Amino acid sequence: MNLIKPAILAIMLAPAIAIALPSDRYQKIEVVSNSASLDSKKGISIYSGNVIMTQGSIRLTGDTITLYNDKNNEITRIIAQGKRAFYEEKLEGKRGKAKAWGNTIKYNVTDHRVDLLQQAELSQDGDLFKGEAIHYDLATQRVNATGQPAGTSAKGRVHMIIQPKPENGKRQAGS
């Protein structure tokens, strides 16, 4: 039952793909919020007000986080919303942390798809990827991104920074 574990930042278009801590998906999920509304019949749980959701080293925050369950009480979707909802996870080895932002972060567990929407941003190991929307299919490892809306400093384009690899072929965390 891997609820928020989709290694969102494998999206990074750098040669090395991030690998999160394998033990995270077996950890308990904890949600802290100012209020909660649970509808067992519809399978919807809505947490509001400075919401913090954790599972192992994974942390998801937003003004609102909504969990959708199927008839077997398995989570099928997670949606975090807010003024820049935030996701981070500790990466395996000495890779540091992977981080993602968006006004909306959607994870469709069933379809193995992650969407970062409105002011989408990914950061890992010094690499940066920005756009208005970033869509990642976990199964096929395909990424589609669209640029910032017209009128912004990015002029409607996707913006990406990829750090060079050191001569030994390995980057240090945070470089």
Side-chain angles (χ1 to χ4, degrees), residues 4 15 21 27 49 51 56-57 59-60 85 101 105 108 110-111 114 127 134-135 137 140 142 144 147-148 157-158 170:
I4 50 180
L21 296 177
Q27 302 295 317
V51 186
S57 75
R59 180 179 171 96
L60 180 64
W101 296 264
I105 298 174
N108 188 317
T110 307
D111 294 339
V114 176
D127 293 339
I134 300 169
H135 307 282
D137 185 315
T140 63
R142 290 190 178 161
N144 290 307
Q148 298 293 338
R157 299 176 63 111
V158 174
K170 294 182 182 176

Side-chain angles (χ1 to χ4, degrees), residues 50-94:
N50 193 26
V51 186
I52 302 168
M53 183 175 179
T54 59
Q55 182 181 27
S57 75
I58 297 169
R59 180 179 171 96
L60 180 64
T61 66
D63 295 334
T64 303
I65 294 180
T66 306
L67 306 177
Y68 296 87
N69 296 343
D70 64 14
K71 63 182 177 186
N72 298 319
N73 205 29
E74 294 290 326
I75 293 180
T76 59
R77 278 188 301 155
I78 300 170
I79 300 175
Q81 295 177 303
K83 291 185 179 180
R84 304 277 329 261
F86 175 70
Y87 173 95
E88 80 175 345
E89 66 182 357
K90 185 175 180 185
L91 303 176
E92 197 170 42
K94 296 182 180 182

Side-chain angles (χ1 to χ4, degrees), residues 5-169:
K5 173 64 192 107
I8 286 179
L9 294 180
I11 296 171
M12 297 305 294
L13 296 179
I17 293 177
I19 299 174
L21 296 177
S23 61
D24 280 342
R25 65 181 155 157
Y26 301 109
Q27 302 295 317
K28 68 180 179 195
I29 291 178
E30 183 174 350
V31 181
V32 178
S33 64
N34 293 343
S35 65
S37 173
L38 310 169
D39 186 333
S40 297
K41 194 171 189 177
K42 291 183 180 178
I44 299 173
S45 304
I46 302 171
Y47 301 90
S48 300
N50 193 26
V51 186
I52 302 168
M53 183 175 179
T54 59
Q55 182 181 27
S57 75
I58 297 169
R59 180 179 171 96
L60 180 64
T61 66
D63 295 334
T64 303
I65 294 180
T66 306
L67 306 177
Y68 296 87
N69 296 343
D70 64 14
K71 63 182 177 186
N72 298 319
N73 205 29
E74 294 290 326
I75 293 180
T76 59
R77 278 188 301 155
I78 300 170
I79 300 175
Q81 295 177 303
K83 291 185 179 180
R84 304 277 329 261
F86 175 70
Y87 173 95
E88 80 175 345
E89 66 182 357
K90 185 175 180 185
L91 303 176
E92 197 170 42
K94 296 182 180 182
R95 302 281 318 264
K97 291 184 177 181
K99 299 178 181 184
W101 296 264
N103 289 349
T104 302
I105 298 174
K106 294 181 179 183
Y107 172 40
N108 188 317
V109 178
T110 307
D111 294 339
H112 305 287
R113 181 178 172 94
V114 176
D115 299 308
L116 303 172
L117 306 171
Q118 300 169 325
Q119 299 182 10
E121 183 176 341
L122 297 164
S123 173
Q124 174 195 321
D125 212 16
D127 293 339
L128 181 66
F129 190 13
K130 289 183 178 182
E132 182 59 13
I134 300 169
H135 307 282
Y136 181 55
D137 185 315
L138 296 165
T140 63
Q141 296 186 352
R142 290 190 178 161
V143 177
N144 290 307
T146 57
Q148 298 293 338
T152 65
S153 61
K155 298 190 186 344
R157 299 176 63 111
V158 174
H159 180 215
M160 205 159 120
I161 298 171
I162 300 174
Q163 299 295 328
K165 281 188 182 181
E167 288 188 30
N168 68 4

